Amino acid sequence: MSDKYISEDEFWDDWGVIQTSDGGMFDFEDVKDQPLEHVWTIVDTGAYEDENWYAMPGFHIVNKLGYIMTRREWNSDTPDAIYFRHEDEDDGERQVFIYQYRDASNYKAGGMLLLYGASRDVEEDLIRECCDADGCFVAEQVGVPALCDQLFTFGGGPTNDDHAFHEFQCLRPATTEEIASLPLWGGLRDLTRRFLRTEGQWDCSLSPNCF
């Protein structure tokens, strides 16, 4: 990637960014037959010291998050663009990450994390794409608080019904009541990156319920 970038503001204001109807990124099948000069690949560098997301002209594979298009054509001299600049500052926006633990007997424990940071309407899809079927993920691998202890209180500890996976349910803006009652857990971008770093490869041995 180049050291020279189109700024985030210039890219969004001047290039005519085109996303899916719900504000997300396109899949390869959506853009493979589109004019190449209008297609960009959104990438995450994968580096802890650089948490920005970049738009690279054309098709790329390494660290790909998805694709967008622009009304304006790029050419061979067009640099990469900053698609989303990571800001450590709390911008006042609040989201909630909702998940649950369900054992083999269908007993459930629910959880909710209050996150800071504005959403680009792609984070939920990115998180879900990293999960196994039915939104399953290993909480310990991404540093999300495990919920199984809530069931242990009633069952006297782990049983043969327990397993390593939690279920991601949704990501949405927090309500006024949730903002007032929930402790601030962390940032939306940070949590999304934790899921992306798994590359969808979940290590059940990280869970104490892995027998």
Side-chain angles (χ1 to χ4, degrees):
M1 296 179 66
S2 170
D3 292 332
K4 180 182 178 182
Y5 302 108
I6 300 169
S7 72
E8 181 182 13
D9 288 342
E10 179 185 351
F11 190 60
W12 285 90
D13 293 344
D14 298 343
W15 282 77
V17 174
I18 302 171
Q19 300 171 294
T20 62
S21 59
D22 60 357
M25 300 181 198
F26 294 108
D27 295 325
F28 176 72
E29 292 296 321
D30 299 323
V31 297
K32 67 178 183 179
D33 296 324
Q34 297 298 322
L36 178 62
E37 294 79 9
H38 292 275
V39 177
W40 301 66
T41 304
I42 305 303
V43 301
D44 175 350
T45 66
Y48 283 88
E49 65 274 13
D50 184 357
E51 298 191 5
N52 296 333
W53 291 353
Y54 296 90
M56 300 178 68
F59 292 99
H60 302 272
I61 296 177
V62 177
N63 296 327
K64 173 184 68 68
L65 302 177
Y67 303 94
I68 61 162
M69 297 182 63
T70 56
R71 292 183 175 85
R72 178 175 167 183
E73 294 183 359
W74 54 262
N75 58 46
S76 59
D77 295 323
T78 301
D80 299 334
I82 299 176
Y83 178 72
F84 185 81
R85 179 179 293 280
H86 172 72
E87 301 289 354
D88 288 328
E89 295 83 3
D90 183 350
D91 58 10
E93 296 288 333
R94 295 290 184 268
Q95 319 295 325
V96 285
F97 173 89
I98 302 175
Y99 66 117
Q100 71 176 9
Y101 176 75
R102 173 168 47 184
D103 70 14
S105 292
N106 207 34
Y107 289 101
K108 303 173 185 177
M112 186 180 294
L113 303 180
L114 182 65
L115 307 170
Y116 68 80
S119 171
R120 284 287 191 186
D121 296 323
V122 298
E123 292 85 357
E124 178 169 357
D125 287 342
L126 292 173
I127 290 172
R128 200 171 297 282
E129 288 171 4
C130 293
C131 294
D132 282 352
D134 299 320
C136 291
F137 68 96
V138 177
E140 292 82 358
Q141 191 168 340
V142 289
V144 169
L147 304 173
C148 46
D149 286 353
Q150 297 180 32
L151 298 185
F152 296 167
T153 302
F154 302 101
T159 70
N160 291 333
D161 286 338
D162 289 303
H163 53 80
F165 287 100
H166 286 63
E167 300 171 22
F168 170 55
Q169 295 181 292
C170 71
L171 180 73
R172 59 165 174 75
T175 66
T176 302
E177 292 77 11
E178 290 163 348
I179 293 171
S181 61
L182 293 172
L184 189 60
W185 184 83
L188 173 59
R189 284 296 308 282
D190 175 58
L191 181 60
T192 304
R193 286 175 59 85
R194 293 186 191 199
F195 274 83
L196 290 171
R197 290 188 185 115
T198 70
E199 297 181 342
Q201 303 298 313
W202 297 101
D203 184 358
C204 296
S205 68
L206 297 174
S207 169
N209 296 329
C210 182
F211 304 113

